[in-house]
């Protein structure tokens, strides 16, 4: 019996199988069960995929027990301190930190694709002003799949690269227009003399009537937050993009499915839900009541921004954002922002409560990001849109990796059936 296999014996049939263990660069090895059904007539059952690796990837690595996050082998702490969002985008897409020439070329390529087709602007008029910007994003970004007929062969590497550049470049333009539509202000065109984040802030907050100057502190804070949100292994939205992409669907439509999955409050929608929760708690004296609600099995309330499927220690991104909160609020926000004070106190109370300790529930990336967005002037209903802009890089990098994988095939999970046993049709006159 090899040490690199797992033996499964089905005691009901007496059949045994040795399954290979596969090992990556770091992290838990996997049991390759691809032949299990064929050889043993057995499926595995893992709703929510707590113990299931859905693919092989070389992009991002997470060690939840030790609070480790790496993009292409580089620790997130080093990238947060030393890199920029577009440099990280290049790293995630192509696997290496760019040289200066490569970064300049990549930046100019992104800049060349920031405009959206003028006809897209009319799509926004189909939405009422009170539409949630994420609903607008799903619709308008998905409609990009109706364009670019010159580059839709996803098995052509050049077409994939062009689609990738277009998606990363146009997401901020579509996002800013989604915001402008809800506030009834005119759309602002991209300005390619600005940085990626500076361009986003200008498209969101500039108005024709006056000059708008991008605040460098806000620009750096957003660039850093985007680095932290760029990719995160096989999370729900990335897995959604991979699943829809596995049928060779249009890449713009696949990323639109990622936006949809991210919107949920259990996932990327949590940053907006955290602010709503903090505003509902309102005062430090109410923290105990909400901690009790979060612990009450009969109460659907959860402490938003707390807990993570993988991190059973502090989310390394939350640590970085928490520190950045202090710096940003000291410079541009209200350094005594009552919601930040409330968040710090809520964190302290929860981290010292047995319920959260015993379930390894720590603040995640969404717990503090909204505080910074609010200090910058980003409206709460745009928080998840900011997350979507940053995560587009991860979605696109993972989609490209999947399509280029020679072993890639359509994802088609199975099930355990517990419905009606076989039965015959009953004519309507005989039904009771
Ligand atoms: C993101 O996957 C990713 O990588 C996601 C993400 C990324 O970058 O892509 O990191 C971004 O989505 C971060 C997570 C943002 N979501 C929230 O903050 C929403 C609040 N948190 C949760 O709902 C929850 O913690 C999840 C969804 C994040 C994780 O859910 P799991 O892993 O399925 O855990 P679970 O629901 O099975 O909870 C385990 C236990 C349960 O109690 P018991 O049944 O064991 O008694 O912990 C409890 C849960 O009730 N629990 C919470 C809680 N989160 C879990 N109780 C109170 N408040 C919470 N926030």
């Amino acid at each position: 019996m090899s040490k690199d296999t797992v033996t499964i014996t089905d005691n009901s049939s007496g059949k045994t199988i040795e399954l290979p263990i596969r090992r990556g660069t770091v992290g838990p090895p996997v049991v390759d069960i691809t032949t299990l059904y064929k050889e043993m007539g057995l499926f595995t059952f893992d709703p929510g995929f707590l113990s299931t690796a859905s693919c092989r990837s070389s992009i991002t690595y997470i060690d939840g027990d030790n609070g480790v996050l790496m993009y292409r082998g580089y620790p997130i702490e080093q990238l947060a301190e030393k890199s920029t969002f577009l440099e990280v985008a290049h790293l995630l897409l192509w696997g290496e930190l760019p040289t200066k020439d490569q970064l300049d070329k990549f930046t100019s390529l992104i800049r060349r694709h920031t405009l959206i087709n003028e006809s897209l602007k009319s799509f926004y008029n189909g939405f009422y002003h009170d539409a949630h910007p994420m609903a607008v994003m799903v619709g308008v970004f998905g409609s990009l799949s109706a364009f670019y007929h010159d580059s839709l062969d996803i098995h052509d590497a050049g077409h994939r690269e062009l689609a990738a550049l277009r998606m990363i470049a146009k997401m901020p333009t579509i996002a800013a227009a989604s915001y402008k539509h809800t506030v009834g202000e005119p759309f602002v065109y991209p300005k390619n003399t600005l940085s990626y984040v500076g361009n986003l802030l200008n498209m969101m907050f500039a108005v024709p009537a006056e000059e708008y100057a991008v605040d460098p502190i806000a620009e750096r804070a957003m660039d850093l937050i985007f680095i932290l949100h760029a990719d995160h292994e096989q999370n729900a939205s990335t897995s959604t993009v991979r699943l829809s992409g596995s049928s060779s669907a249009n890449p713009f439509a696949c990323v639109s499915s990622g936006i949809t999955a991210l919107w949920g409050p259990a996932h990327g929608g949590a940053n907006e839900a955290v602010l709503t929760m903090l505003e509902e708690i309102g005062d430090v004296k109410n923290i105990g009541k909400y901690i009790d609600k979060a612990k009450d099995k009969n109460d659907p309330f959860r402490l938003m921004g707390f807990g993570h499927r993988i991190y059973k220690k502090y989310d390394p991104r939350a640590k970085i954002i928490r520190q950045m909160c202090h710096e940003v609020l000291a410079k541009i926000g209200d350094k005594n922002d009552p919601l930040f004070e409330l968040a710090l106190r809520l964190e302290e109370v929860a981290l010292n409560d047995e319920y959260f300790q015993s379930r390894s529930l720590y603040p995640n990336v969404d717990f503090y990001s909204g505080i910074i967005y609010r200090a910058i002037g980003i409206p709460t209903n745009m928080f998840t849109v900011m997350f979507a802009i940053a995560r587009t890089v991860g979605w696109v990098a993972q989609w490209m990796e999947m399509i280029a994988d020679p072993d890639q095939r359509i994802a088609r999970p199975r099930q355990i059936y517990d419905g009606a046993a076989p039965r015959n049709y009953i004519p309507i006159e005989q039904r009771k």
Side-chain angles (χ1 to χ4, degrees):
M1 211 173 292
S2 153
K3 67 178 181 352
D4 274 345
T5 60
V6 160
T7 303
I8 292 182
T9 298
D10 177 353
N11 295 323
S12 61
S13 68
K15 291 167 79 175
T16 291
I17 187 170
E18 273 202 65
L19 294 168
I21 289 178
R22 310 247 183 252
R23 298 179 194 282
T25 312
V26 286
V30 299
V31 179
D32 183 337
I33 59 167
T34 44
T35 60
L36 181 64
Y37 178 63
K38 188 169 164 229
E39 301 296 329
M40 300 283 281
L42 295 171
F43 291 148
T44 57
F45 182 63
D46 185 17
F49 309 119
L50 287 104
S51 304
T52 296
S54 61
C55 64
R56 175 187 291 276
S57 178
S58 57
I59 298 174
T60 293
Y61 173 70
I62 302 171
D63 174 349
D65 296 333
N66 296 296
V68 171
L69 169 59
M70 299 192 304
Y71 292 162
R72 300 285 192 181
Y74 293 99
I76 194 66
E77 294 80 3
Q78 292 182 27
L79 294 170
E81 185 191 341
K82 301 173 177 155
S83 192
T84 63
F85 179 63
L86 278 190
E87 183 177 79
V88 164
H90 184 284
L91 172 66
L92 289 169
L93 288 170
W94 315 122
E96 296 299 335
L97 288 171
T99 62
K100 183 171 181 333
D101 288 349
Q102 288 169 332
L103 182 58
D104 291 347
K105 180 169 180 280
F106 181 63
T107 302
S108 63
L109 280 171
I110 291 289
R111 283 175 165 160
R112 196 159 69 217
H113 292 288
T114 49
L115 273 176
I116 55 176
N117 190 303
E118 281 292 296
S119 63
L120 266 178
K121 286 167 66 175
S122 61
F123 282 58
Y124 289 88
N125 297 329
F127 294 97
Y128 203 58
H129 286 303
D130 63 358
H132 193 291
M134 282 298 278
V136 180
M137 291 292 292
V138 170
V140 176
F141 193 89
S143 65
L144 289 178
S145 53
F147 295 80
Y148 310 121
H149 304 296
D150 63 330
S151 54
L152 286 181
D153 175 4
I154 59 168
H155 300 293
D156 176 313
H159 287 193
R160 287 201 298 275
E161 178 174 334
L162 187 50
L165 292 170
R166 280 172 165 153
M167 289 192 270
I168 294 167
K170 296 179 194 307
M171 186 59 99
T173 309
I174 291 173
S178 304
Y179 168 66
K180 284 300 199 187
H181 179 72
T182 60
V183 293
E185 290 178 3
F187 294 176
V188 174
Y189 284 102
K191 237 188 212 171
N192 290 339
T193 52
L194 297 172
S195 69
Y196 188 83
V197 166
N199 200 16
L200 169 64
L201 292 172
N202 186 63
M203 290 189 287
M204 280 186 70
F205 298 124
V207 289
E210 52 197 48
E211 284 307 307
Y212 174 79
V214 174
D215 182 318
I217 294 163
E219 187 177 21
R220 173 58 191 147
M222 289 273 289
D223 195 81
L224 174 51
I225 290 181
F226 279 15
I227 289 172
L228 300 177
H229 285 76
D231 193 48
H232 212 237
E233 200 209 66
Q234 304 313 316
N235 59 84
S237 53
T238 298
S239 298
T240 302
V241 172
R242 276 182 172 261
L243 195 90
S244 44
S246 74
S247 71
S248 301
N250 178 294
F252 298 94
C254 294
V255 169
S256 181
S257 71
I259 297 171
T260 302
L262 184 74
W263 191 7
H267 189 13
N271 54 16
E272 176 178 349
V274 166
L275 251 291
T276 306
M277 174 187 74
L278 290 174
E279 284 163 347
E280 185 184 332
I281 294 174
D283 188 289
V284 172
K285 68 177 185 307
N286 300 327
I287 286 178
K289 184 178 92 176
Y290 282 86
I291 292 282
D292 292 340
K293 280 169 63 68
K295 291 154 61 172
D296 179 355
K297 287 289 157 234
N298 300 316
D299 190 323
F301 175 80
R302 284 200 163 183
L303 213 50
M304 301 315 282
F306 258 77
H308 198 279
R309 170 62 59 76
I310 297 172
Y311 289 123
K312 299 312 171 193
K313 284 231 182 345
Y314 223 99
D315 181 336
R317 303 166 297 177
K319 269 188 196 162
I320 296 166
I321 290 184
R322 185 178 191 269
Q323 177 51 39
M324 193 176 28
C325 269
H326 288 287
E327 293 159 17
V328 169
L329 291 178
K331 293 174 187 160
I332 56 172
D334 166 2
K335 59 178 168 299
N336 301 313
D337 179 349
L339 289 189
F340 183 44
E341 295 305 314
L342 182 59
L344 289 171
R345 186 83 186 95
L346 180 62
E347 176 196 32
E348 183 191 344
V349 172
L351 292 183
N352 288 295
D353 185 293
E354 187 279 334
Y355 173 93
F356 293 87
Q357 291 171 336
S358 61
R359 292 167 177 80
S360 303
L361 300 176
Y362 291 85
N364 58 51
V365 68
D366 293 307
F367 189 64
Y368 286 107
S369 53
I371 303 276
I372 294 177
Y373 287 144
R374 200 169 85 107
I376 292 170
I378 308 276
T380 305
N381 67 2
M382 285 291 287
F383 289 1
T384 310
V385 174
M386 298 298 110
F387 195 152
I389 294 171
R391 187 53 58 87
T392 297
V393 168
W395 291 331
V396 166
Q398 299 264 355
W399 170 78
M400 287 173 78
E401 179 181 67
M402 177 195 68
I403 299 293
D405 181 347
D407 298 332
Q408 189 268 325
R409 49 199 316 184
I410 191 166
R412 206 283 187 212
R414 299 305 303 272
Q415 64 174 18
I416 182 169
Y417 174 72
D418 58 6
R423 53 185 171 168
N424 296 316
Y425 182 82
I426 301 169
I428 192 163
E429 58 276 6
Q430 293 174 24
R431 291 174 209 158
K432 296 178 183 57

